[in-house]
Amino acid sequence: MNRRRFLGAAATAAASATIAPRRALADVVIRGKAEHVIMFWLGGGMGAIDTFDPKRKGDPAAKTPGAYYDSVETSVPGVRVCEHLARTAPLMDRITVVRSLHHDVIDEHAAASNRMHTGRPVSGTVVYPSIGSMIAHERGAAADGVPPYVVIGYPNVTRGPGFLGARHGYLYLTDTTQGPAGLARPENVAADRLRRRDALLATLRSSGPADADPGVRDYAEALDRSLKLSGPEFLSAFHVDEEPADLRASYGGEFGRRCLLARRLTERGVRFIEVSHNLNFLNGAGWDVHNGGILQQHALIREMDSALAALIVDLESRRRLDSTLIVVATEFGRPPEFDGGGGRGHQGTAFSCVLAGGGLRHQGAFGATDDLSKKIVADPVSVPDFFATIQAAVGVDYTKSLYDGDRPVPMTDGGIPIKALFG
């Protein structure tokens, strides 16, 4: 055995020893049957106590900790949600709110966002891939001529492919009506002229050295993918106005339109789509509701409620809900206490994210917090566990390792899926 193989084997053994006790608890690898993931990203930090894990009412003026809104019953006995989730409440039997998520990032949005996209702390030596890139790497696109991974919202390194390389990155969308910028042929470029350009490019590329720089290869591969994505089948997904007017209205405004587009993209074969929901800043602060930002928080909740409920009903009517996992994720939660301006700070020790559809055995809620949604009292779920649940639902082996060169990197840092949601 040469030195390189020895070091690789030693690293693998060390990683295996670290996660072996948890792996033994997993029995066998769980593999769900979902084919697609649509993830709502609530940037800024959704407060569970004001949305999916409501508790007793508080009073900002009196500095009494508690919920900002009243709660309502749902279709699942014993599971209540905020009054502004009125359209989602009757659908909670298709949903599980994971109320016991936790991590150790509190006051840094970028670090927490990275944690909830990559499943790991920021590293000075490794750029880890995002959950979208990992699933794209493992499953690829579900059809030819489409990207496996699309981001509608805010592009940054936390959404990226990390050490997996550019080929497992995302297609970034800014326009829900015309598709990605630069894919469509300009009107002043005739088809014959475009073919001549393609032929010239092919000649130039074939005359280059076979061992081109990796960066050049990545660029060439990106160009090839762009040419494939300029076809009519993929671009037809952006004709959202073809949908019935009442359906479009049920999704709501611009965020809802992006969620409707996400549904259309899954039908073309896109595997993983992230849709950011803080695009319009309806309350001036997005989900980061410090001080006065909380005054219009209900507008964000209602907009998210409309889009989530419409997407669930729409997918179900098309018999695609079981094959599409919907994830509502955020970087951390908010504490029950009110700050000096009547808003809320940050809380990573207990917060909620949501899973819907995806062929899971839903139960309305999993895990529990105390009477102020501040401490976890039952079934804690780590970020690696949450990632393993998503990966298992879409048929990805969460027990394997990816490789950064010779270095093995576990898919989920030893995460174990929430078994109650499978079977």
Side-chain angles (χ1 to χ4, degrees):
M1 179 180 291
N2 63 31
R3 181 176 181 273
R4 180 174 178 176
R5 290 185 178 178
F6 173 79
L7 291 175
T12 302
S16 298
T18 301
I19 65 176
R22 286 176 60 77
R23 186 68 62 240
L25 298 175
D27 298 325
V28 296
V29 176
I30 298 171
R31 290 188 182 274
K33 297 182 179 179
E35 293 294 330
H36 309 276
V37 179
I38 297 175
M39 185 172 86
F40 293 12
W41 177 251
L42 312 187
M46 176 191 73
I49 195 170
D50 290 335
T51 53
F52 289 100
D53 191 13
K55 306 295 182 177
R56 68 173 184 259
K57 197 87 172 285
D59 185 348
K63 297 295 188 289
T64 304
Y68 201 76
Y69 311 109
D70 291 324
S71 65
V72 296
E73 294 182 351
T74 72
S75 58
V76 178
V79 175
R80 300 179 71 87
V81 296
C82 156
E83 61 181 317
H84 299 298
L85 293 169
R87 289 185 56 185
T88 301
L91 305 173
M92 286 300 293
D93 56 338
R94 288 88 149 175
I95 296 171
T96 300
V97 180
V98 182
R99 288 175 164 171
S100 51
L101 266 162
H102 61 92
H103 59 57
D104 58 4
V105 184
I106 300 174
D107 288 325
E108 221 296 303
H109 286 280
S113 179
N114 179 80
R115 183 71 63 90
M116 291 302 295
H117 277 89
T118 68
R120 293 174 169 83
V122 176
S123 168
T125 58
V126 180
V127 180
Y128 293 108
S130 66
I131 181 70
S133 287
M134 285 189 280
I135 290 175
H137 177 269
E138 294 299 302
R139 295 295 311 272
D144 293 333
V146 302
Y149 176 22
V150 168
V151 169
I152 310 175
Y154 293 107
N156 62 37
V157 68
T158 68
R159 277 83 167 165
F163 63 74
L164 292 177
R167 72 181 64 183
H168 302 296
Y170 54 81
L171 177 70
Y172 171 49
L173 300 179
T174 57
D175 191 332
T176 58
T177 61
Q178 298 180 11
L183 287 188
R185 174 169 56 86
E187 293 182 0
N188 64 334
V189 178
D192 288 344
R193 184 180 179 188
L194 182 62
R195 282 192 290 271
R196 291 195 301 272
R197 287 182 175 182
D198 291 342
L200 177 60
L201 176 62
T203 300
L204 291 173
R205 290 171 61 178
S206 64
S207 64
D211 57 344
D213 179 87
V216 175
R217 289 201 303 270
D218 282 347
Y219 178 83
E221 289 173 359
L223 179 59
D224 289 340
R225 289 196 302 271
S226 296
L227 293 174
K228 291 179 181 178
L229 297 181
S230 62
E233 175 59 25
F234 177 66
L235 292 181
S236 69
F238 298 90
H239 301 163
V240 177
D241 288 339
E242 294 176 350
E243 300 284 347
D246 57 345
L247 177 65
R248 284 183 276 124
S250 72
Y251 272 88
E254 174 60 17
F255 175 67
R257 183 182 179 93
R258 292 174 183 229
C259 294
L260 175 54
L261 172 61
R263 189 221 82 203
R264 291 172 63 88
L265 289 171
T266 63
E267 291 172 333
R268 270 69 176 179
V270 179
R271 186 73 66 183
F272 190 104
I273 304 165
E274 176 182 316
V275 187
S276 289
H277 181 230
N278 52 0
L279 300 172
N280 296 324
F281 291 103
L282 298 178
N283 61 342
W287 292 94
D288 195 20
V289 291
H290 300 285
N291 302 311
I294 203 169
L295 297 176
Q296 293 296 314
Q297 180 183 227
H298 65 276
L300 280 179
I301 298 172
R302 289 175 181 173
E303 189 174 59
M304 186 258 291
D305 174 54
S306 295
L308 177 60
L311 181 59
I312 291 172
V313 172
D314 192 8
L315 287 169
E316 191 168 54
S317 71
R318 296 168 183 273
R319 298 184 179 180
R320 295 181 61 88
L321 183 60
D322 283 345
S323 64
T324 307
L325 178 68
I326 303 169
V327 181
V328 181
T330 190
E331 65 257 48
F332 42 49
R334 324 296 297 191
E337 298 86 4
F338 297 98
D339 61 27
R344 300 193 192 276
H346 302 160
Q347 177 174 287
T349 53
F351 63 102
S352 294
C353 289
V354 177
L355 301 171
L360 299 180
R361 188 167 63 189
H362 289 292
Q363 53 191 65
F366 180 86
T369 56
D370 64 9
D371 59 354
L372 281 175
S373 191
K374 191 173 180 68
K375 297 180 180 179
I376 296 169
V377 298
D379 300 313
V381 176
S382 68
V383 176
D385 292 339
F386 189 62
F387 273 37
T389 304
I390 295 171
Q391 291 171 353
V394 78
V396 168
D397 182 356
Y398 50 89
T399 69
K400 68 179 289 185
S401 289
L402 302 172
Y403 283 84
D404 179 14
D406 287 339
R407 177 180 180 175
V409 179
M411 287 282 288
T412 65
D413 237 359
I416 296 175
I418 302 171
K419 288 187 179 180
L421 301 184
F422 297 87

